[in-house]
Amino acid sequence: MLEVTGLQKKYKEKTVFENVTLQMKPGEIVGLVGENGAGKSTLLELLATVMQPTLGEIELEGFSYTDGFKTIRRLIGYVPQDIAVWEEFTVEENMQFFEKLSWKKHTKEECRQLCVDMQLTQWKEEVRSLSGGMKRKLNLAISLLNDPVLLLLDEPTVGIDLKSKIEIGSYLHNLAKSDGKMIMYTSHDMDEITTLCDRVYSIGKDPFYMDLLTKNEIAVEQLK
Amino acid sequence: MRNIVSTRLMRSKKEWKSLLSWMLLPLIMTVVIMQSIESWQEETKVPVALVVEDETEMAGRLVEDIAATELFHIQFMNLDDALHKLEQHELDSVFVIRKGYEDNILSNRRNQLIVAFSSNRSFANQAVVETIASFAQQDAARSKAAFVIKHLFMEYGMEEEWHYDEIIDSSRDRQKSEALLQSSFSYYDKQNRANEQSIPLVKAWGVWTIFAIITTFFLFDWMLKENRPSMRQRWLFTEISFKKYALGSLLLLTAIIYAMDIITAIIFTSLFQEAFTIRVLFVLFVFRLTINLLAFLLASLYRQLFMYYTSGLAIALLLAVVGGAIIPLDGLARKWVWVEALSPVQSLLNGTIPILWLCALVVLLGVWFFKGGEKNA
Ligand SMILES: Nc1ncnc2c1ncn2[C@@H]1O[C@H](COP(=O)(O)OP(=O)(O)OP(=O)(O)O)[C@@H](O)[C@H]1O
Ligand SMILES: [Mg+2]
């Protein structure tokens, strides 16, 4: 369970959003849409403990964020919008590096399988010689190493080819439906959102996404 | 710890070339600089030829005395060669210790003991003549004293107790122990001050510390590179936090770099006759720990590599100058003793432990490790 109540984020004078309240249940895939600068990344960063809110409460699996992040971080897999991998490492070394530092232990074969699940097969190749889409896949695979309860994905599939997108989508779907993970997902790709997500939050003042998604018969709720 | 070591090594393996060069640089630079100082000193010595015609003990001692003078580059050859080279201006002067040197001194005949040749380009000739003359003078004076003493003994009927050589030897020993040898040509010192001073004062360890501190700052730049803003989000979701990882890395790197320091100490022992004792190794270890902590903590303050490098460089130079690694601050330190105590460099050069530095840095390390453990920084 994820419960967010009355969340507000301000940068000095500028309020990104306020009074955001939402819930997520195990097994749910929830989309987050909105125009550029609406505050999608900001909301995910707050949920991921990367930033702290100016106001409001967040509770994950009964742990309040105000009581410290230590236990909460073990439950979270966060894929930042920017790619965060070692460029001079190979795919294998990246996976090994973060596996060694992770709570959850994996065999080398498991790490490799995780990459294959993300449609990334260049196991021995240096990251700096990979394409942008391949780096994104690795970015995703590393975040899954923790075996998180809550997965926060910030535009994870930007630049990823259609076939891989579909494969990754079905992997994530499986993760939610058979392992009961919660997945929050931002994307500008409406097809992806409508096929993958159980329901959607729209953030920002523009009713555009609201209208669009309602037309597509997707359960959508306006935040803020 | 095992996971920290293996992840650290994974990272370091990718940069082994630069790591190795930063670790070797202090040693290489010290050897190069010390050797060029040495050859420069050799070049600035006055080239002098000695033609030794007298083969007695006293003449031998005179030659030793002259050779021991750091100011001369002595070559031994026969008179013809020597004069030929003097004509070519390859020599500043030529001295001939003439046959019968000892006999003449012992019998108190003091003319023409040594003959000096110079050319019109002999710039140091006057000084050289005076120096060598002063050595001969000493021999003569000692012999004269011995001569007088011997006569006195004979006059008062205390025969055979003393011999010339014994008197001369004891006078020599006495002179050494009272360090009259140096003061006897202090007039020379003034003329060639810069020359003379540079000989013992540029110490191998002094040169080494400058480069060791500078390179240490470069060896710790991973603190910034591996915790750059884009990677920081990864470190939040690892069991081993960046701080633990960094601390483990600090220990591991200290061990590796210290091993290099030991190799350096061994090489310095054979090249520059520096001491190699447990004490030296211990002092070196404490110095290494101190500057590693310094670089580590400084790196934790910065986000931009350039700013970190710049301040590291500034700190390195400051510590080296204040600690007397470049120019010995004798005058300064006599006025303000605390100036030297401020730099761990001075501790290394004096073979003491920079306890103040070490304590302060360890406390700061503790503060760094325990402050804001919850935050993302
Ligand atoms: N450090 C900051 N200081 C001030 N304002 C900021 C800062 N970071 C983000 N913002 C503002 O917060 C708002 C939300 O940004 P955010 O990155 O969450 O948008 P987004 O919905 O993820 O946009 P995009 O679709 O482009 O990724 C933007 O208006 C942005 O200008
Ligand atoms: Mg964003």
Side-chain angles (χ1 to χ4, degrees):
Chain A
M1 271 295 273
L2 173 73
E3 287 211 56
V4 178
T5 30
L7 208 61
Q8 183 200 54
K9 181 67 194 177
K10 267 187 177 176
Y11 287 110
K12 290 194 185 116
E13 291 304 293
K14 184 179 179 185
T15 308
V16 183
F17 50 70
E18 55 192 346
N19 212 9
V20 165
T21 298
L22 58 87
Q23 294 87 36
M24 275 178 83
K25 286 196 243 5
E28 263 192 326
I29 302 181
V30 173
L32 188 60
V33 296
E35 76 269 16
N36 292 137
K40 301 181 296 297
S41 298
T42 307
L43 180 57
L44 286 191
E45 280 171 31
L46 294 182
L47 296 179
T49 75
V50 174
M51 274 196 311
Q52 276 161 305
T54 29
L55 268 182
E57 280 268 335
I58 312 172
E59 215 174 83
L60 175 62
E61 303 289 279
F63 297 106
S64 169
Y65 277 39
T66 44
D67 295 342
F69 294 148
K70 230 176 199 160
T71 34
I72 286 163
R73 281 181 179 154
R74 303 177 64 143
L75 306 172
I76 293 172
Y78 171 57
V79 181
Q81 192 167 358
D82 304 319
I83 296 172
V85 299
W86 301 120
E87 289 277 327
E88 51 292 273
F89 274 8
T90 62
V91 171
E92 177 181 11
E93 287 166 332
N94 264 291
M95 291 301 278
Q96 270 185 340
F97 185 92
F98 288 107
E99 187 275 332
K100 282 180 201 294
L101 299 175
S102 158
W103 286 282
K104 184 92 185 183
K105 293 298 142 200
H106 296 271
T107 63
K108 199 170 168 178
E109 199 37 57
E110 284 170 341
C111 290
R112 193 187 179 127
Q113 187 54 49
L114 205 50
C115 287
V116 174
D117 289 339
M118 295 302 113
Q119 308 296 306
L120 179 62
T121 49
Q122 286 80 356
W123 184 243
K124 293 275 181 198
E125 230 169 277
E126 247 179 52
V127 170
R128 64 173 135 230
S129 66
L130 295 181
S131 73
M134 293 171 185
K135 287 182 192 173
R136 287 241 164 248
K137 291 173 181 176
L138 177 61
N139 207 32
L140 202 52
I142 293 172
S143 301
L144 291 171
L145 277 171
N146 265 351
D147 195 22
V149 171
L150 173 65
L151 247 179
L152 302 163
L153 311 177
D154 200 346
E155 299 185 32
T157 53
V158 172
I160 289 182
D161 64 84
L162 192 56
K163 183 173 164 285
S164 298
K165 247 186 206 177
I166 293 167
E167 297 283 349
I168 293 171
S170 80
Y171 178 86
L172 292 177
H173 184 83
N174 221 15
L175 219 54
K177 299 310 160 193
S178 53
D179 295 355
K181 313 274 187 216
M182 295 178 274
I183 299 175
M184 190 177 269
Y185 201 96
T186 78
S187 178
H188 291 290
D189 181 341
M190 280 308 127
D191 275 347
E192 207 183 339
I193 293 281
T194 48
T195 47
L196 191 63
C197 299
D198 300 317
R199 56 196 181 88
V200 178
Y201 287 110
S202 163
I203 192 166
K205 294 194 179 79
D206 197 336
F208 172 78
Y209 291 95
M210 219 25 215
D211 299 344
L212 182 78
L213 290 164
T214 325
K215 259 181 231 158
N216 281 297
E217 292 173 5
I218 293 281
V220 51
E221 206 180 311
Q222 181 73 42
L223 291 177
K224 161 167 137 183
Chain B
M1 190 65 198
R2 221 191 70 224
N3 282 329
I4 297 179
V5 170
S6 62
T7 44
R8 168 79 264 153
L9 290 179
M10 276 175 86
R11 293 292 309 154
S12 297
K13 224 163 72 184
K14 293 286 162 187
E15 315 192 305
W16 70 270
K17 275 184 206 151
S18 77
L19 282 184
L20 196 68
S21 11
W22 288 128
M23 282 188 353
L24 285 173
L25 194 74
L27 173 64
I28 294 170
M29 289 308 286
T30 308
V31 171
V32 168
I33 288 177
M34 290 304 283
Q35 232 121 57
S36 38
I37 287 177
E38 213 170 273
S39 67
W40 172 75
Q41 280 178 344
E42 206 54 45
E43 272 170 33
T44 54
K45 283 180 182 179
V46 182
V48 168
L50 274 186
V51 181
V52 187
E53 291 176 351
D54 194 63
E55 278 172 16
T56 58
E57 196 192 335
M58 201 174 271
R61 281 210 197 126
L62 178 67
V63 169
E64 270 174 38
D65 281 343
I66 296 171
T69 311
E70 303 256 318
L71 297 163
F72 303 143
H73 176 61
I74 305 286
Q75 301 168 44
F76 296 97
M77 56 186 77
N78 64 42
L79 188 59
D80 288 343
D81 288 350
L83 291 178
H84 179 69
K85 283 200 170 176
L86 187 66
E87 264 170 42
Q88 309 287 314
H89 303 295
E90 282 172 39
L91 292 171
D92 185 87
S93 347
V94 174
F95 292 89
V96 185
I97 300 172
R98 295 188 54 188
K99 200 155 186 64
Y101 175 78
E102 188 179 86
D103 286 346
N104 285 333
I105 285 211
L106 291 181
S107 49
N108 210 13
R109 289 191 299 267
R110 288 165 53 186
N111 291 333
Q112 300 272 308
L113 296 175
I114 297 173
V115 180
F117 298 89
S118 61
S119 73
N120 52 355
R121 284 203 219 159
S122 302
F123 69 96
N125 183 259
Q126 194 54 37
V128 178
V129 167
E130 281 179 41
T131 306
I132 291 184
S134 85
F135 287 132
Q137 193 74 39
Q138 282 170 31
D139 277 343
R142 277 192 215 101
S143 306
K144 177 135 195 209
F147 187 79
V148 172
I149 290 168
K150 186 152 180 166
H151 270 272
L152 282 173
F153 272 71
M154 269 169 29
E155 236 167 74
Y156 291 98
M158 293 145 68
E159 261 179 83
E160 309 301 346
E161 301 244 355
W162 289 87
H163 196 267
Y164 270 134
D165 288 351
E166 280 175 61
I167 298 170
I168 290 169
D169 279 346
S170 85
S171 140
R172 217 171 237 286
D173 288 347
R174 171 164 238 132
Q175 193 174 24
K176 258 187 205 147
S177 66
E178 289 174 10
L180 290 172
L181 209 63
Q182 274 94 335
S183 61
S184 70
F185 51 99
S186 58
Y187 66 92
Y188 209 83
D189 240 61
K190 271 174 222 142
Q191 267 181 323
N192 284 287
R193 183 145 263 242
N195 243 353
E196 271 270 290
Q197 284 215 333
S198 65
I199 296 165
L201 293 182
V202 178
K203 292 188 206 119
W205 284 116
V207 176
W208 179 83
T209 47
I210 301 166
F211 291 101
I213 299 178
I214 292 173
T215 53
T216 304
F217 285 107
F218 285 99
L219 283 169
F220 278 87
D221 62 0
W222 55 267
M223 275 285 284
L224 282 91
K225 287 183 186 162
E226 293 177 10
N227 195 25
R228 58 176 185 262
S230 67
M231 287 318 266
R232 215 167 286 153
Q233 293 161 342
R234 286 269 173 239
W235 288 108
L236 296 182
F237 302 100
T238 51
E239 183 182 12
I240 297 167
S241 66
F242 180 75
K243 281 185 179 179
K244 282 187 202 156
Y245 167 81
L247 205 59
S249 300
L250 169 68
L251 295 180
L252 182 69
L253 282 177
T254 302
I256 294 174
I257 306 172
Y258 179 58
M260 187 62 223
D261 294 344
I262 294 178
I263 295 174
T264 303
I266 293 170
I267 293 174
F268 281 6
T269 307
S270 64
L271 282 187
F272 310 122
Q273 288 76 45
E274 293 286 352
F276 186 76
T277 57
I278 299 286
R279 169 129 197 117
V280 167
L281 290 183
F282 180 68
V283 168
L284 194 59
F285 176 73
V286 176
F287 176 76
R288 168 54 63 200
L289 193 64
T290 309
I291 60 173
N292 279 10
L293 276 173
L294 189 66
F296 181 85
L297 288 168
L298 188 79
S300 75
L301 295 178
Y302 284 91
R303 301 225 159 162
Q304 279 177 313
L305 272 176
F306 179 74
M307 296 301 287
Y308 166 68
Y309 290 146
T310 317
S311 22
L313 220 60
I315 289 177
L317 290 178
L318 188 75
L319 289 184
V321 169
V322 171
I326 307 174
I327 320 140
L329 296 174
D330 272 349
L332 199 63
R334 232 172 276 136
K335 270 193 206 146
W336 306 301
V337 180
W338 53 267
V339 167
E340 286 195 330
L342 276 183
S343 174
V345 170
Q346 186 62 27
S347 301
L348 178 79
L349 298 181
N350 287 344
T352 55
I353 288 155
I355 203 79
L356 259 169
W357 273 91
L358 204 57
C359 290
L361 289 171
V362 168
V363 168
L364 286 175
L365 185 73
V367 170
W368 168 80
F369 191 75
F370 291 108
K371 71 129 205 243
E374 284 287 87
K375 293 220 189 98
N376 37 330

